[in-house]
Amino acid sequence: MKEKISFLKNRIDLISPNKNIVPITTVIDSNEKLNIGGCSIEDLVRKYDSPLYILDEITLRNSCRAYKKALEKYYPGVSLPIYASKANSSLFMSNLVASEGFGLDAVSEGELLTALKGGVPNEKIVFHGNNKSDKEIEFAIKNQIKVIVDNDHDLSRLEEISDSLKFDLEIMIRFTPGIECHTHDYIRTGSFDSKFGFGIESLNKLFGVIIKTKHLKLIGLHAHIGSQIFELDPHKDLGEIMVNVMLQAKEFGHNIKELNVGGGLGIKYTQEDDPPSIDEWIKTVSESVKEACKKNKLDLPVLMCEPGRSIVSTAGVTIYKIGSFKEIPGIRTYLSVDGGMSDNPRPITYQSNYSACLVNNPLSCNSKNKYTVAGKHCESGDVLFKELELGNCKTGDLICVFGTGAYNNSMSSNYNRIPKPAALLVSNGEAEIIQKRESPHDLLKYDVLPDRFIKQS
Ligand code: LLP
């Protein structure tokens, strides 16, 4: 039974947080209650209510530093880690990654604006997307942000807009390297059948077209093969493939200075997960690029990578309050919490698994108490855990779900007009608000009732 919650005590890796389930600063305090970042979680909920997103600053910074350190160790040339902001985009996250020397990847004007306002230097931002609007392209060009070209339409829009603005633009191209990896279908992007990027077979033609453009300068290549990946081999293969494409581009007169290998390193959500460390992942990518460059007598390009989940996921937890119980004899007991699919759509979307504990009795675990943890939304599939073993618990108790820093807040919705939770940063015993809690009134802000309907009512 104790094994079930041993993840709370055994943080096996303080340097590579993605190998732990809980934030690095997690402790069980002298009252046997959960404490993260030096803050009592129970006290935080008393003050800030629930559901509550919490991010631990030390875990975040450790993840960033692990990437920086590994790149310095294994890649002697110049490198730039880029935070994939889709994992969790906010002024705070932009500011934090910038302060750690990271660049940032954005896929919309909203993410670009958040990055710039949060203090990420424009020259360290890259702009992705398979269907960028003209307005977004103009915004990127005017802010001198590097654009990653995804397809022919993208290229022709970029060409036309840069010509009309008379702005020179550095571009990278994204291609699909044809690498299969074992992850959920929805988050696998590197195989040939993907909506992203140019097919590898179309690159020669593309290189010929780009060299003739007036304002576009091809300086880099990009590929991203998927997310939550535990294998190292796909990224080893990717390094080699990218260097071969670099060589191909050279034959057309392009000087490829940058290789961006995307993100994808997995994290430990449950005891069964065993992802490689950040160090191992960077070592694999670096060595494969270095070897292939040596073999082909090429200068080392700037190596870029785009981690999202492995930067922010383990640093984040979500706290819920338990409400109703419903026992269906011989079948299951539902335990409902005050959030669910609107603050964490991952279980219903990808059947994702998480780990959790009771805030007021974290080490308690009774195999007889198997709960189906349901969200509060009007949807039967709104279930966060199918069978979660917890200690004895009752209405009003708090549950902490671990590993929710990535793709929870950023994918959250207002389904059922449920306001988004507040988000806190915890560090050294202090908690600071990084996202205010929405209220039901906030949700009315963008509704408009046309005048003639007002008159009627
Ligand atoms: N670069 C590109 C171009 C990407 O598309 C992604 C993720 C990343 C970097 C970052 O990948 P990461 O290091 O986080 O694995 N919503 C899904 C994940 C979608 C990932 C989309 N692309 C989830 O909740 O699992």
Side-chain angles (χ1 to χ4, degrees), residues 67 82-87 105 107 128-129 148 174 183-184 186-189 196 222-229 260-266 269 281 305-312 344-346 349-350 352 354 406-408 410-411:
Y67 272 101
I82 295 174
Y83 169 60
S85 71
K86 70 209 75 183
D105 121 32
V107 299
H128 276 286
I148 305 205
R174 176 172 183 169
T183 188
H184 194 287
Y186 293 178
I187 54 180
R188 185 192 319 199
T189 51
F196 298 108
H222 174 279
H224 169 78
I225 59 177
S227 200
Q228 184 61 358
I229 301 172
N260 182 336
V261 296
L265 173 62
Y269 284 107
W281 192 81
C305 58
E306 290 174 338
R309 192 189 312 268
S310 53
I311 294 292
V312 65
N344 184 1
R346 297 193 71 257
T349 314
Y350 317 112
S352 316
Y354 286 88
Y407 304 114
N408 277 227
S410 61
M411 289 174 65

Side-chain angles (χ1 to χ4, degrees), residues 174-424:
R174 176 172 183 169
F175 70 96
T176 43
I179 292 175
E180 295 291 338
C181 49
H182 298 108
T183 188
H184 194 287
D185 274 353
Y186 293 178
I187 54 180
R188 185 192 319 199
T189 51
S191 55
F192 290 126
D193 183 4
S194 163
K195 73 167 181 170
F196 298 108
F198 291 91
I200 200 161
E201 73 294 340
S202 64
L203 294 180
N204 274 346
K205 185 168 159 242
L206 180 68
F207 292 145
V209 171
I210 299 176
I211 203 82
K212 293 195 196 112
T213 61
K214 206 160 153 201
H215 291 284
L216 304 183
K217 190 168 174 211
L218 177 62
I219 59 142
L221 301 173
H222 174 279
H224 169 78
I225 59 177
S227 200
Q228 184 61 358
I229 301 172
F230 287 177
E231 307 149 284
L232 287 169
D233 279 351
H235 280 98
K236 184 165 177 262
D237 296 346
L238 178 64
E240 203 181 322
I241 294 174
M242 292 194 84
V243 172
N244 288 338
V245 174
M246 198 172 143
L247 215 71
Q248 212 177 313
K250 215 176 159 198
E251 285 167 21
F252 285 82
H254 296 290
N255 179 19
I256 303 293
K257 297 182 295 188
E258 298 177 352
L259 284 193
N260 182 336
V261 296
L265 173 62
I267 71 139
K268 188 175 177 76
Y269 284 107
T270 65
Q271 298 278 39
E272 290 73 43
D273 293 338
D274 187 19
S277 66
I278 293 170
D279 184 90
E280 287 171 298
W281 192 81
I282 290 291
K283 182 172 190 263
T284 304
V285 186
S286 302
E287 288 183 347
S288 135
V289 171
K290 277 192 299 186
E291 244 167 64
C293 283
K294 196 170 162 200
K295 201 166 105 194
N296 293 292
K297 299 193 176 53
L298 286 172
D299 290 339
L300 283 186
V302 175
L303 181 62
M304 296 168 158
C305 58
E306 290 174 338
R309 192 189 312 268
S310 53
I311 294 292
V312 65
S313 217
T314 313
V317 302
T318 307
I319 314 298
Y320 300 101
K321 196 171 280 166
I322 299 175
S324 62
F325 287 81
K326 175 183 176 181
E327 190 185 344
I328 308 175
I331 300 185
R332 67 178 71 250
T333 300
Y334 284 97
L335 170 170
S336 294
V337 295
D338 54 356
M341 63 183 284
S342 61
D343 61 78
N344 184 1
R346 297 193 71 257
I348 197 169
T349 314
Y350 317 112
Q351 301 76 49
S352 316
N353 295 312
Y354 286 88
S355 300
C357 71
L358 290 170
V359 168
N360 296 340
N361 201 355
L363 297 179
S364 67
C365 187
N366 182 346
S367 54
K368 284 192 206 130
N369 295 340
K370 279 199 182 135
Y371 295 107
T372 295
V373 179
K376 66 179 269 125
H377 303 80
C378 199
E379 176 127 353
S380 303
D382 178 25
V383 163
L384 293 175
F385 291 86
K386 291 240 165 68
E387 282 206 329
L388 179 67
E389 278 181 25
L390 287 174
N392 294 332
C393 54
K394 56 183 187 318
T395 299
D397 286 351
L398 303 174
I399 293 183
C400 174
V401 180
F402 295 98
T404 60
Y407 304 114
N408 277 227
N409 200 351
S410 61
M411 289 174 65
S412 63
S413 74
N414 289 121
Y415 182 43
N416 293 153
R417 290 248 143 165
I418 293 185
K420 292 190 183 174
L424 300 180

Side-chain angles (χ1 to χ4, degrees), residues 11 20-27 36-37 56 59 314-317 402-403:
R11 261 140 294 146
N20 302 319
I21 291 177
V22 304
I24 288 169
T25 60
T26 307
V27 290
I36 300 174
D56 177 46
T59 306
T314 313
V317 302
F402 295 98

